[in-house]
Amino acid sequence: MQFLRRSLIGIFLLALTLALFAWAGNTVRLAVQDRMNAEPRSFPQRERVLSVNVVTVTPQTIAPELVVFGELGSTNTFDLRALSSGTVLEISPNFVDGGRVQSGELIVKIDPRDAQSFRDRTAADLRDAQSEVRDAERALVIERDELAAANQQVDLRQQALTRQNDLVTRGVGTAAAVETAELALSGANQAVLSRRQAQADAQARLDQAATGLDRAQLNLADADRGVADTEIRAPFSGTLAEVNISQGVRVTANERLGELVEKDNLEVSFRLSTVQYARLAGADGALGDAAVTVTLEAQDLTLTASGQITRESANVGEGQTGRLLFARLDTAVGLRPGDFVTVTVTEPELRGVAMVPSTAIGSGSSALMLAEGNRLEDVAVVVLRRQGDDVIIRAPALYGQQIVAERSPLLGAGIAVQPIDPNAEAVAPQPPEMITLDDDRRARLIAFVEGSRMPPPVQARVIGQLEQDEVPADVVEDLETRMGT
């Protein structure tokens, strides 16, 4: 009996368990059917609106600027070299690195004794040459007188021969006398030839003496220059650099003693790319006198100088590219040769262009324009120049329109945005629109808020607004949108 009772109880519990499983399954089936047959609850989707900074594209005339790096140099430098060899006797107190000398100032004097001795010997040679010229002139005068006397003898001998011929014609003369007169005339003519030869020799001697005198004068001029070369004077006012001698040192001819730099007349050399050079030169290829500004920044100090482009290098240079240009500076206070500076070159003006932030232009040279309904439109632009953080563009379709100042991957054509113009005047906010609720509508809204998952502080604030006589319209619209009504 006990076994039968326990078996019946087990069968009863099993049947009860199966019944409970069947009831639970039916309950789940009915719930799923009700859920599937119920009208779906829909919530209206709102478009996401992004806030963006915008700028207004304004056409204007802009003179672009090229910013490159350059090196300063002096337009007037002079290597001080010893023109003669010898021992350095005197040195100017200013002949040191950084020393300031004036034009014509004696800065180095070399021992002049050897040069002076050579000059004295050359002067003695000149006096000998002058004496030889005087002797040659006197000899030439004597020879001319002797030639004149010989010519007189010829005339006399001719007269004597004529007289003997007359006597023979009258029958009182002899042939021997005529022959003697002819021989005498021939001897006189021979004497004239000898005197003429002597005169030619005297003239040649005088010419040689004159040549010797000229040579002696040239030698004396060279000797005088050699004496003058023992004194080195400053050819212009400037500052000394790389001085490498001292008093008592023996120097050789053409030895470098230092360098004289005129630091007040500076120029800057800088290199432009071929494209930059073409833009600066223009269609005619002439650089003109484009203005440049040189800037040297040293901690909190900024040195600035202005100037104009004066010339360009004739060739590119081995291993180089672009073009090397030179500009002469008008004023260069505080700047020195060798300074590495920033050079700003002003290009010719561009008309009908606009300057916008570089972040407003995409990689495809396009900008996002604020179209109707605050929706974005992609517009192509022509990028002409880049000026630091800005770009100069030409886009007639954008003139007078607003574009996005800072593009991001979230922005594109057709997206609605909320424009923010940092340059626009601040506008006072409009007060919110207020509406009056009836009791049923107010109760439904309060019940929805109490049953929502809002944080308690937010629930309390919203319920406080709903309990007022007038409630903000945007709050009511937001709550009803969530409720699906």
Side-chain angles (χ1 to χ4, degrees):
M1 290 296 295
Q2 187 176 3
F3 173 76
L4 180 60
R5 185 174 61 253
R6 292 179 177 177
S7 299
L8 293 175
I9 293 173
I11 294 172
F12 174 75
L13 292 177
L14 178 61
L16 182 62
T17 302
L18 294 175
L20 290 175
F21 273 116
W23 178 79
N26 186 52
T27 302
V28 171
R29 183 182 61 82
L30 294 177
V32 170
Q33 289 180 352
D34 292 342
R35 181 66 175 175
M36 295 179 64
N37 294 330
E39 182 179 355
R41 185 179 181 184
S42 62
F43 296 93
Q45 299 293 327
R46 292 190 301 172
E47 182 179 8
R48 185 179 181 183
V49 179
L50 301 177
S51 298
V52 295
N53 293 329
V54 296
V55 293
T56 302
V57 181
T58 304
Q60 55 186 319
T61 299
I62 302 176
E65 293 182 345
L66 294 174
V67 180
V68 294
F69 297 100
E71 184 177 2
L72 293 181
S74 176
T75 58
N76 195 6
T77 60
F78 186 82
D79 270 352
L80 297 174
R81 294 182 178 273
L83 300 178
S84 62
S85 60
T87 304
V88 177
L89 294 183
E90 298 180 11
I91 291 181
S92 171
N94 299 325
F95 194 70
V96 291
D97 281 342
R100 181 76 177 177
V101 296
Q102 300 299 322
S103 177
E105 179 181 348
L106 177 62
I107 52 180
V108 176
K109 185 176 182 180
I110 301 174
D111 188 358
R113 289 178 297 179
D114 294 341
Q116 185 64 45
S117 177
F118 177 74
R119 192 266 177 197
D120 295 339
R121 289 194 300 271
T122 306
D125 294 339
L126 176 62
R127 289 192 294 270
D128 291 340
Q130 292 173 344
S131 176
E132 178 65 20
V133 169
R134 289 193 299 267
D135 291 342
E137 289 176 347
R138 287 193 295 266
L140 180 60
V141 171
I142 294 173
E143 291 298 333
R144 287 174 179 173
D145 292 341
E146 290 182 351
L147 178 60
N151 287 327
Q152 289 179 358
Q153 289 292 327
V154 170
D155 293 339
L156 293 176
R157 298 300 181 183
Q158 184 64 45
Q159 292 176 4
L161 178 60
T162 302
R163 186 169 53 253
Q164 291 296 326
N165 289 330
D166 289 340
L167 292 175
V168 170
T169 302
R170 286 182 293 176
V172 295
T174 63
V178 173
E179 185 179 355
T180 301
E182 290 177 351
L183 292 174
L185 177 60
S186 177
N189 288 329
Q190 186 65 35
V192 169
L193 292 176
S194 299
R195 293 299 94 193
R196 289 177 61 184
Q197 181 63 43
Q199 182 182 1
D201 294 340
Q203 184 65 50
R205 178 187 174 188
L206 178 61
D207 293 339
Q208 291 179 356
T211 303
L213 178 61
D214 293 339
R215 188 178 295 108
Q217 290 174 343
L218 292 176
N219 292 335
L220 181 61
D222 291 340
D224 289 336
R225 186 168 57 253
V227 173
D229 288 344
T230 60
E231 295 182 351
I232 301 177
R233 299 182 180 272
F236 54 84
S237 299
T239 305
L240 293 169
E242 301 180 10
V243 175
N244 57 4
I245 66 166
S246 59
Q247 190 172 357
V249 174
R250 184 173 181 82
V251 296
T252 59
N254 203 39
E255 181 177 347
R256 192 171 187 270
L257 308 181
E259 184 180 25
L260 182 62
V261 180
E262 191 174 4
K263 64 179 182 180
D264 295 331
N265 293 330
L266 298 180
E267 67 177 5
V268 59
S269 60
F270 55 95
R271 187 172 293 275
L272 299 180
S273 66
T274 305
V275 175
Q276 292 173 332
Y277 174 81
R279 292 172 178 173
L280 185 62
D284 56 353
L287 288 175
D289 54 350
V292 301
T293 302
V294 172
T295 304
L296 176 62
E297 295 183 357
Q299 296 181 355
D300 297 333
L301 178 64
T302 301
L303 302 177
T304 304
S306 59
Q308 296 80 32
I309 294 177
T310 56
R311 67 187 191 279
E312 61 177 306
S313 179
N315 51 22
V316 176
E318 185 178 357
Q320 300 292 335
T321 59
R323 303 292 184 269
L324 182 62
L325 275 64
F326 300 87
R328 187 180 183 89
L329 303 182
D330 299 331
T331 57
V333 179
L335 299 175
R336 293 293 181 269
D339 284 339
F340 194 66
V341 295
T342 302
V343 183
T344 304
V345 185
T346 303
E347 294 187 34
E349 293 183 345
L350 298 177
R351 301 182 182 277
V353 297
M355 181 176 290
V356 297
S358 59
T359 54
I361 307 301
S363 58
S365 297
S366 62
L368 295 176
M369 181 182 69
L370 194 65
E372 184 179 356
N374 289 342
R375 293 190 178 275
L376 299 180
E377 180 180 346
D378 200 9
V379 179
V381 300
V382 178
V383 178
L384 301 178
R385 303 285 191 279
R386 296 191 178 273
Q387 303 285 286
D389 295 333
D390 299 326
V391 293
I392 300 176
I393 63 172
R394 190 186 301 278
L398 294 180
Y399 294 162
Q401 303 294 326
Q402 289 182 328
I403 63 173
V404 176
E406 299 175 358
R407 299 185 59 154
S408 71
L410 300 177
L411 301 177
I415 295 179
V417 296
Q418 178 65 36
I420 301 175
D421 191 353
N423 299 324
E425 296 181 358
V427 180
Q430 297 292 333
E433 181 182 357
M434 308 297 288
I435 60 176
T436 303
L437 301 177
D438 54 30
D439 294 338
D440 293 340
R441 190 176 182 185
R442 190 191 309 274
R444 288 198 308 272
L445 293 174
I446 292 176
F448 174 75
V449 173
E450 290 177 348
S452 66
R453 297 181 179 180
M454 295 182 184
V458 178
Q459 286 185 356
R461 178 174 58 82
V462 175
I463 292 174
Q465 290 179 333
L466 294 175
E467 291 177 349
Q468 301 294 327
D469 294 337
E470 292 185 348
V471 183
D474 56 348
V475 175
V476 176
E477 181 181 359
D478 181 63
L479 292 176
E480 290 180 344
T481 300
R482 296 184 181 184
M483 294 171 60
T485 59

